[in-house]
Amino acid sequence: MGQLDASRIRENLRELSREPHLSSTPRDEELVQLLLQRWRDAESGLDSAETFEYEVLLSLPSQEQPNSVTIVDPTGNILFSCRRSEENVTGEQEGPDVVPPYAAYAPPGTPQGLLVYANQGSEEDFEELQNRGIRLEGTIALTRYGGVGRGAKAVNAAKHGVAGVLVYTDPSDINDGQSSPSQTFPYSWGLPPSGVERGSYLEYFGDPLTPYLPANPSSFRLDPANASGFPPIPAQPIGFEDAKVLLCNLQGASAPETWQGALGCEYRLGPGFRSDGNFSADSQVNVSVHNRLELRNSSNVLGIIRGAVEPDRYVLYGNHRDSWVHGAVDPSSGTAVLLEVTRALGTLLKKGTWRPRRSVIFGSWGAEEFGLIGSTEFTEEFFSKLQERTVAYINVDISVFANVSLRAQGTPPIQSVVFTAAKQIPAPGRSSLSIYDNWIQYSNRSSPVYGLVPSLGTLGAGSDYAPFIHFLGISSMDLAYTYDRSKTSARIYPTYHTAFDTFGYVDNFVDPGFSSHQAVSRVVGNVLLRLSDSLFLPLNVSDYSETLRSFLQAAQQDLGALLEQHSISLGPLVAAVDKFEGAAAALDERISELQKGTPDPLQVRMLNDQLMLLERSFLNSRAFPEERYYSHVLWAPRTGSVATFPGLANACSAAMNTAPGSAAWAEVQRQLSIVVAAVEAAAATLRPVADL
């Protein structure tokens, strides 16, 4: 822990974010070489380092025909043009390597129509407009970030006949309402008025043309015209200074209170502009998108430390390397920490003073910003090997959102190892408190087992842990330092995916002194050592009992009566959860017994395999046929409102207003059976290995 140096992390970040490094660009390849050089260093390198290259489909804006958003009169005269690039406030927002704001994978097209305001672009938002009698066919919808994913805004809009979508970041969602240039970067950490969040609008993760296959030259590729997951209509993000011009000139009814924002005017719904504003009532919005799809080479860099005793058991730790522009916070704050952790461990390795019990694999993933592509291709290429041998996956993408408290997300078995590590490290700036004691003050929950503990978030698909947990069933975690949610309503750090996410932004506003980066590196280093060096894996399977019990209780309370009306019993699920709790408790006792003596190595190995393989037992590749890669029956996407098993919640939500005996109710029964089988399989995995 003492070797992890804040000033070295700062220098790493300065170098990593010096220039924009969009996936597959020359600067991205230069960073591949930088990682290889560090990981092959004679004094602080690892045992080996190599690259794995994939040929993947990326979406890029056209340099010859820039995307544009304009307001035109009936004769086609341009009355107003939105900015095509962000304001150059620090000299870093312009240049040939700064990719202009665009919606990756949005199809080309030049739709034109009357403007409507559709809040966050959710299904409910468009239904609200329709219920108010607003004609949506052929309109351009202005939406704001938040609520639903980027691509979902375009999907929902297209269902209602909308021709094109604009997306902006409202100051109320990111800047706590502040919107003037003097209140924002470079004077504070706020998003400047011209700031635009870039991002992928792809529905799935992984290379779009090679689902379930690594994107190697020999792999079968779909025809891009037949590939699914692309937005159905053109989309383009804009800054809030331009959104203000559009929104504050709209006519029509006032938007609902929850749809109002902080642009300094009353938000109206449209369609079209008011005649007493800056534009005539018959003015329309033209959205011209000229994005193109291109096959590009993208590399993962893998560094390996061989285990001394169990080299065939892997602890994985990774983050992505590519950014939208300079990417100082996202992802370079994570890569800066990764490089410092590997330097400290590599130095011990080269001195001959340490070698872990298990192998440690470090990954720098490519093309994450386009849809977790590098990590997904890695899991596809090495599917069997990783599933058979991987103990856990640690992800540190953005290592520091802000400098207040630790934030951890993960599956239940990793909770105890994160808590243990956090208790051992002083909180930055509050040396009388540990990171754990500081964390519990900002984010906590009441556990029936432990009392008050820090809250552990769940894993969706926001970063490279997604293929490891959802596709491979590997216990995973994501670690970062973050802000005080009671002090800000920002949904993420304000300059996210913009050209303002620079080294100076981090150095001045996000983490001056880099003490939070150092804290994250220490937590990660501590967790990594415990997972790779402990005789018994520090995965606490009993912590799954709490999750299963809470899911069961939610199902009983919120769905039990409804299921009973359709003669569907939760009895088998109750029995399965009881079985799991019994098996987990018995395994805990067995570990305690073995720890008291000098256990036989094969006994330890068998037991560790039970701990490692528990997560895999919750996989069912047939459970969600419509969801690509999602096979974990506890953590798949949940659209139903009940906080229970996602397949059951979603099926009940879909069946709610259908007749008894319908196909929808048959699906409820199928999903319940899938959950019961998975929980039974998990209990069986934990029982003594000689018992069936």
Side-chain angles (χ1 to χ4, degrees):
M1 297 300 100
Q3 298 302 309
L4 298 166
D5 184 335
S7 62
R8 285 179 187 268
I9 298 173
R10 182 174 182 271
E11 286 314 305
N12 288 343
L13 186 69
R14 188 202 295 277
E15 176 59 25
L16 292 163
S17 61
R18 188 161 52 82
E19 293 172 41
H21 47 285
L22 188 72
S23 175
S24 78
T25 59
R27 179 59 182 168
D28 182 33
E29 283 307 306
E30 282 176 26
L31 294 184
V32 167
Q33 297 308 314
L34 181 145
L35 280 144
L36 285 174
Q37 179 200 330
R38 298 277 186 100
W39 288 352
R40 289 171 175 169
D41 187 89
E43 290 176 4
S44 60
L46 312 176
D47 287 325
S48 64
E50 56 187 309
T51 58
F52 293 85
E53 194 171 78
Y54 300 99
E55 193 179 17
V56 300
L57 189 75
L58 302 185
S59 164
L60 301 161
S62 166
Q63 289 178 314
E64 303 73 45
Q65 284 183 293
N67 295 349
S68 67
V69 177
T70 55
I71 297 175
V72 295
D73 68 14
T75 59
N77 291 321
I78 293 174
L79 307 174
F80 174 78
S81 294
C82 292
R83 300 183 68 104
R84 290 182 179 180
S85 60
E86 291 150 305
E87 189 182 351
N88 190 17
V89 300
T90 63
E92 297 161 291
Q93 287 74 43
E94 279 179 7
D97 298 331
V98 175
V99 72
Y102 76 114
Y105 299 104
T110 53
Q112 184 173 307
L114 296 173
L115 187 70
V116 294
Y117 170 52
N119 191 31
Q120 296 179 325
S122 69
E123 186 63 60
E124 295 75 24
D125 291 338
F126 284 108
E127 280 169 7
E128 171 75 18
L129 293 175
Q130 210 145 37
N131 293 341
R132 287 173 175 243
I134 293 173
R135 187 178 156 79
L136 293 171
E137 286 80 8
T139 60
I140 303 298
L142 176 63
T143 64
R144 63 206 248 185
Y145 273 119
V148 296
R150 299 181 194 99
K153 298 176 195 295
V155 170
N156 296 334
K159 282 182 198 163
H160 293 270
V162 171
V165 172
L166 300 175
V167 193
Y168 80 100
T169 303
D170 199 279
S172 64
D173 300 325
I174 207 89
N175 283 354
D176 297 314
Q178 298 192 317
S179 60
S180 74
S182 63
Q183 295 173 316
T184 58
F185 183 72
Y187 306 104
S188 79
W189 87 323
L191 177 68
S194 67
V196 185
E197 179 185 319
R198 296 151 183 78
S200 175
Y201 284 62
L202 190 66
E203 189 181 345
Y204 301 119
F205 50 89
D207 172 51
L209 301 186
T210 58
Y212 297 105
L213 293 169
N216 295 327
S218 61
S219 284
F220 169 76
R221 280 181 165 72
L222 299 169
D223 179 335
N226 301 332
S228 54
F230 300 130
I233 54 176
Q236 176 69 17
I238 60 174
F240 67 74
E241 70 176 356
D242 288 330
K244 180 175 182 172
V245 176
L246 300 178
L247 201 44
C248 294
N249 281 287
L250 270 182
Q251 64 172 358
S254 180
E257 184 55 38
T258 54
W259 292 27
Q260 298 293 331
L263 291 178
C265 63
E266 185 172 18
Y267 292 16
R268 296 184 175 276
L269 299 174
F273 298 110
R274 11 178 253 276
S275 51
D276 63 341
N278 295 7
F279 313 109
S280 59
D282 51 5
S283 300
Q284 296 190 342
V285 173
N286 178 285
V287 181
S288 294
V289 173
H290 304 286
N291 301 340
R292 62 178 192 276
L293 296 170
E294 217 175 290
L295 280 175
R296 291 278 192 99
N297 288 334
S298 174
S299 299
N300 291 337
V301 189
L302 277 296
I304 298 169
I305 298 177
R306 280 190 316 280
V309 182
E310 299 181 80
D312 63 333
R313 289 294 174 262
Y314 311 147
V315 178
L316 264 54
Y317 164 33
N319 93 299
H320 70 101
R321 182 186 62 258
D322 66 302
S323 64
W324 284 111
V325 193
H326 293 84
V329 177
D330 179 13
S332 302
S333 66
T335 309
V337 164
L338 173 70
L339 284 171
E340 179 60 1
V341 170
T342 53
R343 183 198 65 80
L345 295 177
T347 303
L348 295 175
L349 193 68
K350 295 297 186 191
K351 280 181 181 167
T353 55
W354 170 81
R355 180 169 289 283
R357 179 183 178 88
R358 301 176 188 90
S359 295
V360 183
I361 300 176
F362 300 96
S364 171
W365 314 121
E368 187 267 2
E369 293 295 7
F370 287 87
L372 320 182
I373 291 178
S375 53
T376 303
E377 301 315 300
F378 176 70
T379 59
E380 289 168 337
E381 181 162 15
F382 299 105
F383 180 87
S384 299
K385 196 172 184 176
L386 293 171
Q387 218 178 29
E388 287 161 10
R389 302 178 185 178
T390 308
V391 165
Y393 174 65
I394 304 165
N395 196 69
V396 181
D397 178 344
I398 295 169
S399 69
V400 179
F401 290 88
N403 56 3
V404 172
S405 159
L406 188 68
R407 184 204 76 176
Q409 300 167 303
T411 55
I414 63 90
Q415 174 179 274
S416 61
V417 69
V418 175
F419 285 180
T420 305
K423 285 173 180 172
Q424 286 200 322
I425 302 160
R430 307 187 67 181
S431 53
S432 59
L433 289 182
S434 67
I435 284 178
Y436 179 92
D437 293 331
N438 180 64
W439 178 14
I440 208 168
Q441 291 183 357
Y442 291 99
S443 172
N444 58 56
R445 68 182 183 90
S446 183
S447 156
V449 181
Y450 305 110
L452 197 70
V453 292
S455 295
L456 184 80
T458 56
L459 296 173
S463 189
D464 290 302
Y465 48 74
F468 292 97
I469 179 60
H470 298 300
F471 183 42
L472 295 183
I474 290 167
S475 293
S476 300
M477 68 187 86
D478 185 77
L479 302 170
Y481 239 71
T482 191
Y483 35 74
D484 179 354
R485 291 216 167 265
S486 69
K487 297 264 172 66
T488 177
S489 60
R491 62 182 183 86
I492 197 163
Y493 72 96
T495 65
Y496 174 67
H497 287 188
T498 72
F500 305 107
D501 181 0
T502 59
F503 175 76
Y505 181 75
V506 177
D507 205 27
N508 292 317
F509 300 111
V510 175
D511 188 23
F514 280 71
S515 59
S516 296
H517 282 79
Q518 183 182 41
V520 172
S521 73
R522 286 175 169 170
V523 174
V524 173
N526 195 312
V527 168
L528 191 65
L529 290 177
R530 290 176 183 283
L531 287 166
S532 59
D533 267 345
S534 303
L535 181 63
F536 290 98
L537 285 174
L539 297 173
N540 188 350
V541 293
S542 283
D543 285 342
Y544 246 131
S545 300
E546 206 179 313
T547 301
L548 295 175
R549 183 61 60 188
S550 77
F551 279 10
L552 174 61
Q553 286 170 346
Q556 288 171 318
Q557 286 164 16
D558 299 334
L559 302 173
L562 178 70
L563 293 170
E564 225 164 85
Q565 289 168 22
H566 293 267
S567 306
I568 299 172
S569 169
L570 286 172
L573 184 56
V574 173
V577 172
D578 286 344
K579 259 189 213 172
F580 180 90
E581 287 179 344
L587 189 71
D588 285 348
E589 274 182 40
R590 175 133 172 81
I591 294 172
S592 296
E593 282 303 309
L594 286 174
Q595 281 173 330
K596 287 173 190 165
T598 49
D600 171 85
L602 280 177
Q603 285 182 313
V604 175
R605 173 76 165 204
M606 283 190 290
L607 212 140
N608 280 338
D609 280 357
Q610 289 175 276
L611 300 176
M612 175 179 88
L613 295 171
L614 170 66
E615 204 78 64
R616 316 285 194 273
S617 59
F618 290 113
L619 295 185
N620 184 324
S621 59
R622 303 281 186 279
F624 316 107
E626 71 293 347
E627 296 277 8
R628 191 178 292 174
Y629 298 112
Y630 288 106
S631 52
H632 199 301
V633 302
L634 303 183
W635 306 119
R638 181 166 55 79
T639 50
S641 58
V642 180
T644 184
F645 305 96
L648 183 62
N650 299 347
C652 283
S653 179
M656 205 70 84
N657 298 316
T658 67
S662 68
W665 281 107
E667 178 62 12
V668 172
Q669 287 189 301
R670 188 180 85 92
Q671 288 294 342
L672 181 57
S673 297
I674 285 168
V675 171
V676 170
V679 177
E680 293 262 11
T685 298
L686 299 184
R687 278 199 290 275
V689 291
D691 297 358
L692 268 179

